[in-house]
């Protein structure tokens, strides 16, 4: 794909994610179900954090494209390295995890992840923007250009560290409020919850490996 085309695509994707993140974080206070938006607000939900992550990624990608267009190759190299690290370790696996895990649990029992009370607050288009569109965007990014993946150990350590931070945030919110971020967590015993978190980490690691596999199959071992 031509650099100018990539720049246009990344710019539009950045604007889209910024708009979606803005929309979900600016729901009027009086419209928010009290049982959903407690301590931590929207920032306790992985879905919302993913929107911010995707906006940052596409912003960095657009900057890399612009620097390549204006021939600032030394600066572009540094930004491209940051772009590829963001995509490989976080943007692709988290987007894939958010989409697949949400719709799997929603199909099983929506009250565990997305209570019916949200239907009157969050429009259908916004729900799909947060939970559906993120996956094709991630796949399209792999098809659009090659990404250099870090050494496997480094990538998994970084992904595991971010996962640990989010789990710590979830546990902190529970310790303060006595309420779980997702009603699903209340179904587990402490050991069951630990097993669930470990299983979720294994799933997101598998998505990391899947992204690396697709990148290698489509583009080869690109540097």
């Amino acid at each position: 794909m031509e650099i100018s085309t990539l720049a246009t695509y990344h710019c539009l994707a950045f604007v889209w994610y910024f708009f979606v993140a803005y929309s979900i974080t600016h729901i009027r206070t009086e419209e928010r179900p009290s049982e959903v938006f407690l301590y931590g607000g929207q920032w306790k939900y992985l879905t919302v954090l993913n929107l911010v992550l995707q906006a940052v990624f596409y912003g960095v990608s657009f900057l890399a494209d612009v620097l390549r267009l204006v021939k600032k190759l030394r600066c572009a190299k540094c930004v491209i390295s940051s772009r590829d690290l963001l995509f490989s370790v976080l943007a692709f696996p988290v987007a894939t995890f958010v989409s697949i895990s949400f719709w799997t649990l929603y199909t099983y029992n929506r009250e565990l992840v997305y209570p019916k009370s949200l239907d009157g607050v969050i429009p259908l288009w916004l729900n799909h923007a947060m939970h559906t569109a993120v996956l094709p965007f991630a796949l399209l990014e792999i098809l659009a250009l090659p990404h250099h993946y870090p050494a496997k150990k480094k990538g998994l350590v970084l992904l595991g560290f971010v996962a640990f931070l989010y789990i710590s945030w979830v546990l902190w919110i529970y310790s303060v409020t006595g309420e779980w971020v997702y009603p699903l967590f209340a179904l587990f015993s402490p050991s069951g919850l630990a097993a669930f978190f470990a299983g979720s980490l294994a799933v997101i690691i598998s998505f990391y490996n899947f992204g690396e596999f697709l990148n290698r199959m489509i583009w080869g071992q690109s540097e």
Side-chain angles (χ1 to χ4, degrees):
M1 191 179 290
E2 295 292 331
I3 298 177
S4 58
T5 305
L6 276 175
T8 301
Y9 165 64
H10 286 144
C11 180
L12 292 174
F14 168 73
V15 171
W16 166 251
Y17 274 113
F18 183 87
F19 169 70
V20 175
Y22 178 87
S23 298
I24 192 62
T25 56
H26 284 76
I27 295 174
R28 289 182 296 178
T29 303
E30 62 271 17
E31 294 179 344
R32 301 175 181 178
S34 59
E35 73 274 15
V36 175
F37 296 96
L38 294 169
Y39 183 89
Q42 293 98 327
W43 304 110
K44 61 186 176 181
Y45 297 111
L46 185 59
T47 293
V48 177
L49 296 176
N50 177 58
L51 293 175
V52 176
L53 167 64
Q54 300 301 323
V56 170
F57 164 70
Y58 283 105
V60 171
S61 297
F62 176 60
L63 176 60
D65 297 335
V66 170
L67 290 173
R68 291 172 67 193
L69 283 171
V70 299
K71 307 300 183 182
K72 298 290 186 180
L73 299 182
R74 180 175 297 181
C75 294
K77 185 176 181 180
C78 179
V79 177
I80 288 171
S81 296
S82 299
R83 178 202 69 191
D84 288 347
L85 189 65
L86 266 175
F87 180 76
S88 61
V89 175
L90 293 177
F92 181 85
V94 173
T96 307
F97 179 82
V98 164
S99 183
I100 292 179
S101 63
F102 174 83
W103 288 114
T104 299
L105 291 169
Y106 185 98
T107 301
Y108 173 71
N109 183 354
R110 65 167 298 175
E111 293 298 321
L112 297 177
V113 291
Y114 195 81
K116 196 172 181 60
S117 58
L118 287 177
D119 286 347
V121 179
I122 299 177
L124 182 62
W125 74 265
L126 186 52
N127 181 22
H128 282 292
M130 295 188 296
H131 297 117
T132 307
V134 293
L135 182 54
F137 264 107
L139 293 172
L140 181 57
E141 179 65 22
I142 283 186
L143 294 173
L145 74 161
H147 296 83
H148 176 67
Y149 272 66
K152 181 62 68 73
K153 182 179 179 180
K154 177 182 178 181
L156 294 182
V157 166
L158 288 174
L159 178 58
F161 177 69
V162 173
F164 171 77
L165 289 179
Y166 180 69
I167 291 171
S168 298
W169 174 227
V170 168
L171 295 176
W172 171 258
I173 291 173
Y174 178 74
S175 71
V176 172
T177 67
E179 299 286 341
W180 287 110
V181 171
Y182 298 102
L184 169 68
F185 297 159
L187 301 178
F188 297 105
S189 64
S191 58
L193 189 62
F196 177 82
F197 285 147
S200 297
L201 179 59
V203 170
I204 201 169
I205 286 174
S206 71
F207 291 146
Y208 171 92
N209 289 328
F210 180 60
E212 185 178 33
F213 169 77
L214 287 179
N215 186 75
R216 184 172 63 250
M217 290 297 293
I218 296 170
W219 301 103
Q221 297 286 359
S222 56
E223 296 295 333

